[in-house]
């Protein structure tokens, strides 16, 4: 069939033209007054469009548009919003430097608005908040991702409560994305090699306030049907599809930026999915500068940033060697290295032929800056990857942490935001990096805060009732059941929310462990609780699907469907209702399997109190003023015992603390102590878990240093990279001959605090010079159990000369701590161009 295609756009009256510009910029996703403009056009159309401003403009009748174009009230609101939009784009920002060189932020998914469904869960929501916050702060950052034709799946529960999936097609021409064209007016395209086949991708742009996100799309005529499906679905297909998507994201993403004329001076890999970008950056420099692989790697290493999100080894992306051979067999020749060395880039044990290729390992080896996403996750990550730095103490492994944060103006409800704006003042919107503004929470009266929160709970109940009614009607429930849904939940009862991906380690069924205690709480006529659950299980995760089914069956078995409710198809819309309308946010993962988690942060900024296992972000944020901790951070070997202990702890908290505190009312009907906790929670979490704090951390700890490194490299035509490569070649050649031959010290069996400790090390440097190595005294308290040094101090020793062909290094320190103390000496690399001295395989102990 020969079909001619063309694009039809809305025909807007001149006075309404700004509506199209605003609709195509996701600035509106965190500005509710802008969203209101589209709701006011036609509420029914707005709901039919699935809350898409672009699609709404195309669905509203011309008669209605003509009518609105003459409505002075509407035009005044439009003018006010459009003026704010323009002022935002032109306004002063936290970052005021150059945008010539940018940080390119790579992520597999982005969750920025319901109208752009290319996200599945926490990773995508975080990436979306990252982009929005970068816009607020004016950072020189662009995003790179993939444009999924079907996004993630739509969840539907059948009559038995079992999850089913559907994959509706996205219509990009009615969404806030715009295809990028070249100077010739034709779509801009790039290509990558996939196992000998040239894959072509076109580039789309999403405007995010001041920032841009670029998305690659293989669904074009040049590609064969199977290639077109590479960007069909997020996390869809098999392992080979994942390989293809990750090559396109990493290698194709760099090429897309080049095609757009954007220089990715530094790159940030948000999880290991984009790790192949390191290979492409190395290839570029080798081609451009005629460098060796080692020289190009040293040029890339100081400008790569990697964030790991996975707290368990099995969660890291790995590919078997036959898959690597299919897609990368030509790359060793391109890079001028052996196949064994190439595979070693993705292995903990470089030459272990039984080890598969891990993208996390590749990212860690090619990035100077690496971090986990919470303080505890940083500890877990250092323990998990210590094998990459054999001999290096765990606390020195170069993986830090930047705790995740959330974008407050996206996640704080419109009603609560209006209240905060009124009391915090214009700085809250115009200077979002001034986090001390949250200290103004005490300016808000208890009455106003509680009234605002109660309205949110009422809206949540109304929303859930409507959703559940639609669920029942779709599954063919009897009319009596449908009518029951209209009375589900109470707008006045203590409301607990549990919403997240349904995986077994998150334990969505922990509260069901003792039905008698739970039912007593739920059926209490004087002080009832109600529970709202939401979340998707991965399509292939059968145990996760069974968890959802178990919840549905529990509510039906004990006839508490009006008090225990599951809302299907958890997305950003559902999340906003739950995180703003609940009273308590439940989180029950097995510690330490929750890397960070951000839903509880969103809830906290709305005054919803957390009750959580001490894991992820809550491990560092918890104190009794802002919520409740289940347990004390214990970790268990016996999971059955863990479930028993922690479910009982949760029941105890509910019965003894949470329920009594919520229903403890004064003569005015206000729960004053509860409200006090709400204020403390909003103040502390608003300050510490803001995405603006997160981006300031990233900027100061990695973005700005990486950009500075890039400019330094370019300034001297990459001489530092060549020098560093030559240094490591020399060090590798000399490493086996390096030896700490003897250590002399003035120690006595018993020394006094303040006594001087003089230590001299006799070192065989082989072919190395004294100024090319860092010799350190490593000293501190000796553990009675492990006989290892704990809380160690590192003091650099000074070269004092040579004797008998050995080099002497000396240091003098004072005895500070009491108890059993010890010391030893170690050797590390030393070069002016090193960001840090911790390179795999280069540490030598006495």
């Amino acid at each position: 069939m020969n079909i001619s295609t063309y694009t039809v756009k809305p025909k807007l009256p001149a006075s309404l033209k700004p509506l199209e510009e605003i609709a195509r910029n996701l600035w509106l996703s965190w500005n509710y007054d802008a969203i209101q403009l589209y709701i006011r056009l036609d509420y029914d159309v707005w709901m039919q469009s699935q809350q898409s401003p672009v699609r709404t403009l195309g669905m509203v009748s011309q008669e209605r548009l003509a009518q609105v174009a003459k409505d002075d009230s509407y035009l005044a609101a439009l003018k006010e919003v459009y003026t704010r939009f323009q002022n935002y784009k032109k306004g002063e920002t936290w970052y005021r430097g150059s945008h010539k060189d940018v940080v390119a932020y790579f992520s597999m998914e982005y969750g920025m608005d319901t109208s752009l469904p290319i996200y599945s869960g926490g990773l995508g929501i975080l990436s979306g908040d990252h982009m929005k916050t970068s816009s607020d702060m004016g950072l020189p950052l662009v995003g790179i991702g993939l444009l999924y034709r079907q996004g993630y799946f739509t969840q539907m529960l059948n009559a038995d409560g079992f999850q089913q999936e559907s994959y509706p097609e996205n219509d990009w021409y009615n969404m806030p994305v715009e295809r990028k064209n070249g100077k010739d007016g034709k779509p801009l395209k790039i290509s990558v090699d996939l196992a000998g086949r040239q894959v072509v991708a076109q580039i789309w742009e999403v405007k995010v306030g001041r920032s841009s996100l670029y998305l690659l799309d293989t669904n074009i005529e040049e590609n064969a049907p199977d290639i077109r499906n590479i960007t069909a679905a997020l996390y869809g297909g098999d392992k080979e599809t994942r390989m293809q998507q990750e090559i396109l994201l990493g290698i194709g993403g760099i090429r897309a930026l080049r095609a757009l004329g954007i220089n990715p001076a530094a790159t940030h890999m948000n999880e290991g999915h984009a790790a192949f970008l390191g290979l492409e950056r190395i290839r570029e420099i080798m081609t451009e500068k005629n460098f060796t692989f080692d020289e190009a790697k040293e040029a890339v290493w100081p400008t790569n940033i990697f964030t790991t999100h996975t707290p368990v080894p099995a969660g890291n992306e790995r590919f078997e060697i036959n898959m690597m051979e299919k897609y990368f067999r030509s790359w060793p020749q391109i890079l001028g290295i052996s196949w064994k060395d190439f595979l070693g880039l993705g292995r903990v044990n470089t030459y272990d032929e039984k080890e598969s290729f891990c993208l996390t390992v590749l990212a860690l080896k090619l990035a100077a800056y690496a971090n986990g996403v919470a303080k505890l996750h940083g500890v877990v990550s250092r323990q998990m990857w210590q094998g990459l730095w054999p001999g290096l103490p765990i606390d020195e492994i170069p993986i830090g942490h930047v705790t995740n944060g959330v974008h407050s103006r996206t996640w704080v409800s419109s009603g609560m935001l209006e209240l905060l704006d009124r009391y915090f003042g214009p700085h809250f919107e115009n200077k979002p990096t001034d986090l001390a503004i949250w200290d103004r929470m005490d300016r808000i009266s208890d009455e106003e805060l509680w009234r605002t929160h109660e309205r949110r709970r009422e809206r949540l109940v109304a929303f859930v009732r409507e959703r559940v009614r639609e669920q029942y009607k779709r599954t063919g429930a009897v009319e009596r059941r449908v009518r029951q849904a209209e009375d589900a939940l109470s707008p006045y009862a203590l409301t607990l929310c549990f919403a997240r991906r349904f995986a077994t380690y998150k334990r969505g069924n922990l509260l069901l462990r003792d039905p008698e205690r739970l039912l007593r709480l739920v059926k209490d006529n004087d002080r009832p609780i109600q529970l709202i659950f939401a979340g998707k299980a991965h399509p292939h995760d059968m145990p996760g699907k069974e968890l959802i089914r178990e919840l549905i069956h529990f509510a039906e078995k004990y006839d508490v469907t009006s008090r225990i409710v599951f809302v299907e198809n958890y997305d950003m819309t559902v999340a906003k209702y739950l995180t703003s309308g609940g009273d308590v946010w439940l989180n029950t993962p097995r510690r330490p399997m929750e890397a960070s988690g951000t839903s509880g942060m969103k809830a906290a900024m709305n005054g919803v109190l957390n009750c959580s296992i001490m894991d992820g972000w809550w491990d560092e944020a918890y104190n009794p003023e802002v919520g409740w901790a289940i347990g004390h951070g214990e970790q268990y070997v016996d999971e059955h015992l863990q479930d028993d202990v922690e479910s009982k702890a949760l029941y105890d908290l509910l019965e003894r603390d949470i329920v009594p505190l919520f229903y403890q009312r004064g003569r005015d009907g206000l729960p004053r102590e509860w409200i006090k906790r709400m204020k403390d929670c909003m103040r502390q979490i608003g300050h510490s878990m803001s995405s603006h704090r997160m981006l300031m951390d990233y900027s100061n700890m990695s973005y700005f240093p990486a950009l500075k490194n890039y400019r330094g490299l370019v300034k001297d035509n990459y001489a530092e990279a060549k020098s560093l490569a030559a240094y490591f070649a020399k060090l590798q050649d000399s490493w086996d001959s390096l030896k700490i031959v003897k250590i002399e010290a003035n120690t006595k069996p018993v020394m006094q605090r303040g006594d001087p400790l003089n230590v001299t090390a006799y070192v065989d440097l082989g072919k190395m010079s004294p100024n090319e190595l860092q010799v350190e005294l490593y000293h501190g308290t000796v553990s009675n159990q492990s006989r290892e040094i704990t809380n160690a101090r590192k003091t650099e020793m000074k070269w004092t000369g040579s004797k008998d062909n050995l080099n002497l290094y000396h240091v003098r320190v004072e005895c500070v701590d009491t108890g059993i103390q010890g010391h030893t000496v170690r050797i590390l690399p030393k070069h002016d161009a090193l960001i840090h001295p911790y390179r795999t395989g280069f540490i030598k102990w006495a």
Side-chain angles (χ1 to χ4, degrees):
M1 185 184 298
N2 186 12
I3 300 176
S4 299
T5 62
Y6 44 88
T7 303
V8 178
K9 293 188 175 182
K11 185 179 180 181
L12 296 177
S15 59
L16 300 182
K17 285 290 184 184
L19 283 174
E20 187 162 15
E21 183 182 348
I22 296 170
R24 292 191 174 277
N25 191 311
L26 288 178
W27 171 85
L28 65 73
S29 69
W30 68 91
N31 286 275
Y32 187 69
D33 52 352
I35 295 171
Q36 279 286 98
L37 293 172
Y38 302 89
I39 297 175
R40 284 179 64 181
L41 286 176
D42 190 317
Y43 179 77
D44 292 335
V45 166
W46 170 254
M47 296 306 294
Q48 291 168 23
S49 76
Q50 298 180 319
Q51 302 178 41
S52 167
V54 176
R55 187 177 288 118
T56 295
L57 292 180
M59 292 173 64
V60 173
S61 68
Q62 290 301 135
E63 291 78 12
R64 175 57 181 161
L65 290 174
Q67 183 182 16
V68 171
K70 298 176 183 177
D71 183 336
D72 57 349
S73 170
Y74 186 92
L75 294 177
L78 173 58
K79 182 180 179 182
E80 182 180 347
V81 169
Y82 190 60
T83 300
R84 279 186 52 234
F85 176 51
Q86 296 297 326
N87 290 342
Y88 173 86
K89 290 196 293 183
K90 299 172 185 174
E92 189 176 271
T93 60
W94 179 77
Y95 175 78
R96 301 175 192 177
S98 168
H99 285 72
K100 177 184 175 184
D101 304 313
V102 304
V103 176
Y105 177 79
F106 287 70
S107 185
M108 199 73 166
E109 52 174 302
Y110 290 87
M112 290 179 289
D113 189 59
T114 305
S115 66
L116 190 61
I118 55 170
Y119 63 94
S120 70
L123 182 71
I125 300 299
L126 176 72
S127 300
D129 281 6
H130 201 105
M131 292 300 302
K132 294 173 184 179
T133 309
S134 173
S135 168
D136 287 345
M137 295 169 62
L139 293 176
L141 181 144
V142 298
I144 291 287
L146 303 181
L147 189 66
Y148 302 102
R149 192 171 77 246
Q150 297 170 337
Y152 204 45
F153 66 89
T154 296
Q155 179 194 52
M156 298 176 293
L157 303 186
N158 65 17
D160 190 44
F162 191 76
Q163 174 182 295
Q164 297 175 315
E165 301 88 26
S166 67
Y167 295 86
E169 297 275 332
N170 287 320
D171 176 9
W172 303 129
Y173 298 94
N174 281 305
M175 290 185 173
V177 296
E178 182 180 346
R179 189 166 54 190
K180 297 300 291 180
N181 294 327
K183 293 179 180 179
D184 58 2
K186 296 178 181 179
L188 203 57
K189 297 173 183 176
I190 58 96
S191 66
V192 295
D193 179 272
L194 291 181
R197 304 170 70 186
Q198 284 299 307
V199 174
V200 180
Q202 59 185 356
I203 307 167
W204 298 75
E205 180 183 14
V206 179
K207 290 184 170 65
V208 189
R210 302 178 178 95
S211 301
S212 289
L213 165 64
Y214 297 102
L215 303 171
L216 301 180
D217 169 25
T218 61
N219 184 30
I220 53 179
E221 292 180 359
E222 289 96 318
N223 293 324
D226 62 320
I227 296 299
R228 296 178 71 164
N229 283 333
I230 290 174
T231 54
L234 172 61
Y235 306 136
D238 55 14
K239 197 72 173 177
E240 190 152 6
T241 303
R242 286 292 284 271
M243 169 69 88
Q244 294 168 344
Q245 289 182 339
E246 288 165 354
I247 291 173
L248 181 63
L249 175 64
I251 297 174
I254 293 292
R255 294 179 185 179
L257 291 171
R258 298 296 184 200
L260 289 161
I262 296 170
N263 178 32
T267 55
H268 183 180
M269 297 166 275
N270 188 42
E271 194 51 283
H273 305 123
F276 290 133
L277 70 81
L279 302 178
E280 174 65 7
R281 297 189 74 200
I282 289 170
R283 185 200 63 79
E284 282 188 333
I285 292 177
M286 289 179 68
T287 302
E288 180 185 341
K289 301 292 181 183
N290 197 28
F291 275 15
T292 66
F293 172 80
D294 289 333
E295 290 168 342
K297 182 161 71 76
E298 296 301 344
V300 164
W301 182 74
T303 63
N304 274 345
I305 302 138
F306 172 57
T307 297
T308 176
H309 292 259
T310 310
V312 290
N316 293 277
E317 190 79 90
R318 289 182 177 274
F319 293 109
E320 294 304 321
I321 301 309
N322 60 347
M323 181 82 74
M324 289 300 298
E325 189 156 12
K326 179 176 179 179
Y327 286 92
F328 284 94
R329 199 61 182 88
S330 63
W331 273 79
Q333 185 176 356
I334 293 169
L335 299 177
I337 58 177
S338 69
W339 176 241
K340 186 179 289 189
D341 286 339
F342 180 83
L343 292 178
L345 293 170
R347 287 170 165 165
V348 174
N349 300 300
T350 304
Y351 299 117
D352 180 0
E353 295 186 0
K354 295 180 181 179
E355 187 177 341
S356 56
F357 191 96
C358 179
L359 292 191
T360 302
V361 173
L362 177 64
L364 286 169
K365 286 187 175 183
L366 296 184
Y369 305 94
N371 66 274
V373 289
K375 185 177 181 180
L376 176 61
H377 183 234
V379 174
V380 171
S381 298
R382 288 189 289 277
Q383 292 170 343
M384 192 189 317
W385 298 113
Q386 60 183 303
L388 280 170
W389 292 272
L392 189 64
I394 284 180
D395 62 345
E396 292 184 87
I397 289 188
I399 303 175
H401 79 275
V402 175
T403 302
N404 286 343
V406 298
H407 189 256
S408 59
R409 299 198 79 85
T410 293
W411 294 105
V412 175
S413 72
S414 57
M416 187 66 74
L417 203 55
E418 183 180 327
L419 182 67
L420 298 182
D421 280 337
R422 194 160 72 246
Y423 282 93
F424 287 6
H427 269 26
F428 184 46
E429 179 178 8
N430 300 332
K431 293 192 176 180
T433 53
D434 181 10
L435 300 175
I437 202 83
W438 287 92
D439 292 337
R440 298 182 180 182
M441 277 303 305
D442 286 335
R443 296 184 179 185
I444 303 173
S445 70
D446 289 356
E447 291 82 359
E448 280 191 283
L449 183 61
W450 187 245
R451 204 159 51 236
T452 301
H453 178 66
E454 285 199 306
R455 281 197 296 270
R456 293 309 309 175
R457 193 189 314 113
E458 290 166 5
R459 291 180 184 178
L460 168 61
V461 168
F463 172 78
V464 172
R465 285 174 177 174
E466 178 61 25
R467 276 296 189 96
V468 174
R469 189 175 69 85
E470 291 174 3
Q471 288 173 212
Y472 286 163
K473 288 177 70 174
R474 182 179 47 75
T475 56
V478 297
E479 186 61 30
R480 178 182 59 82
R481 186 74 179 274
V482 175
R483 285 199 302 271
Q484 282 180 344
E486 296 173 359
D487 294 325
L489 307 177
S490 164
Y492 311 109
L494 172 61
T495 303
L496 282 67
C497 295
F498 180 100
R500 52 196 23 88
R501 180 166 59 89
F502 264 73
T504 52
Y505 81 86
K506 292 179 182 281
R507 298 188 294 177
N509 60 348
L510 191 64
L511 261 178
L512 310 187
R513 201 159 181 85
D514 188 337
E516 186 179 335
R517 290 182 79 175
L518 177 58
L519 292 171
R520 195 160 57 238
L521 287 164
V522 168
K523 292 184 175 182
D524 188 322
N525 291 325
D526 297 322
R527 302 189 307 181
I529 72 167
Q530 55 194 11
L531 293 102
I532 303 175
F533 292 90
K536 297 177 178 180
H538 188 278
H540 302 307
D541 183 3
M542 298 307 293
K545 291 183 178 183
E546 278 301 320
L547 281 181
I548 296 173
R549 187 170 171 272
E550 182 183 351
L551 290 170
I552 302 295
H553 282 227
F554 181 94
E556 292 175 349
K557 177 181 178 180
Y558 294 104
D559 194 25
V560 286
T561 54
S562 64
R563 284 288 178 261
I564 300 178
V565 174
F566 188 94
V567 182
E568 66 182 9
N569 202 35
Y570 184 44
D571 63 4
M572 290 183 73
T573 298
V574 176
K576 287 181 179 182
Y577 276 99
L578 295 178
T579 54
S580 64
D583 297 300
V584 175
W585 195 260
L586 279 179
N587 187 35
T588 53
R590 295 191 193 282
R591 178 185 167 109
M593 296 181 72
E594 186 89 317
S596 172
T598 56
S599 58
M601 302 176 190
K602 299 167 186 128
M605 287 188 189
N606 280 286
V608 178
L609 304 180
N610 277 260
C611 179
S612 174
I613 297 292
M614 293 287 281
D615 198 9
W617 75 281
W618 192 238
D619 184 69
E620 63 193 89
Y622 166 74
N623 68 67
E625 296 176 349
V626 300
W628 295 271
I630 304 169
H632 303 282
E634 303 90 345
Q635 292 176 214
Y636 296 78
V637 175
D638 185 337
E639 292 185 352
H640 184 82
L641 174 64
Q642 180 181 14
D643 292 347
D644 272 347
V645 171
E646 292 179 343
S647 63
K648 288 174 183 175
L650 176 53
Y651 292 128
D652 288 345
L653 282 173
L654 287 168
E655 292 167 350
R656 299 173 187 175
D657 293 342
I658 298 174
V659 173
L661 188 68
F662 180 83
Y663 286 104
Q664 178 185 319
R665 308 293 171 104
R667 295 176 63 183
D668 55 7
L670 295 177
R672 296 280 181 179
E673 287 301 312
W674 189 278
I675 296 170
K676 181 180 184 303
R677 287 206 187 193
M678 287 176 65
K679 288 184 176 181
D680 288 339
C681 175
M682 294 174 75
R683 178 191 304 108
Q684 293 183 34
I685 305 305
H687 188 283
S688 64
M689 296 300 158
S690 162
S691 57
H692 295 87
R693 185 273 310 151
M694 176 182 75
L695 261 291
M696 285 190 282
D697 285 350
Y698 271 118
S699 296
N700 293 322
M701 293 166 60
S702 55
Y703 289 175
F704 295 164
L707 289 172
K708 182 181 179 182
N709 296 339
Y710 171 80
R711 291 173 187 132
L713 285 164
V714 171
K715 187 176 181 181
D716 66 2
N717 199 28
Y718 293 93
E720 273 195 347
K722 294 192 75 170
S723 171
L724 197 55
Y727 167 79
F728 274 109
K730 180 181 178 182
L731 183 60
Q732 183 68 62
D733 187 50
S734 304
W735 191 250
D736 290 341
S737 62
L738 286 178
K739 188 181 297 183
I740 301 167
V741 177
K742 183 172 64 171
I743 301 174
E744 292 180 346
N746 65 328
T747 55
K748 297 178 291 188
V750 177
M751 300 184 73
Q752 302 293 317
R753 176 183 283 169
D755 283 354
L757 174 65
N758 290 288
V759 180
T760 300
Y762 294 74
V763 183
D764 184 349
L765 296 182
K767 300 176 185 177
M768 304 300 289
S769 302
N771 63 342
E772 292 179 317
L773 293 169
Q774 184 163 310
V775 180
E776 291 181 341
L777 179 70
Y778 188 85
H779 54 111
T781 302
V782 177
S783 166
N784 286 325
Q785 182 176 354
S786 66
R787 305 305 295 170
E788 293 180 353
I789 295 174
T790 60
N791 302 317
R793 296 182 177 89
K794 286 84 68 176
T795 307
E796 186 170 0
M797 304 179 76
K798 292 185 178 180
W799 182 78
T800 59
S802 58
K803 181 179 179 182
D804 299 331
N805 294 321
L806 296 177
N807 285 267
L808 277 62
Y809 288 83
H810 179 79
V811 71
R812 179 183 184 277
V813 296
E814 283 190 355
C815 295
V816 176
D817 299 322
T818 59
I820 301 297
Q821 302 295 302
H823 66 264
T824 187
V825 174
R826 68 183 187 179
I827 301 173
L828 290 165
K830 184 177 184 180
H831 191 284
D832 290 341
L834 275 175
I835 308 302
H836 59 72
Y838 307 123
R839 287 294 189 94
T840 300
F842 289 109
I843 182 169
K844 185 155 288 193
W845 295 88

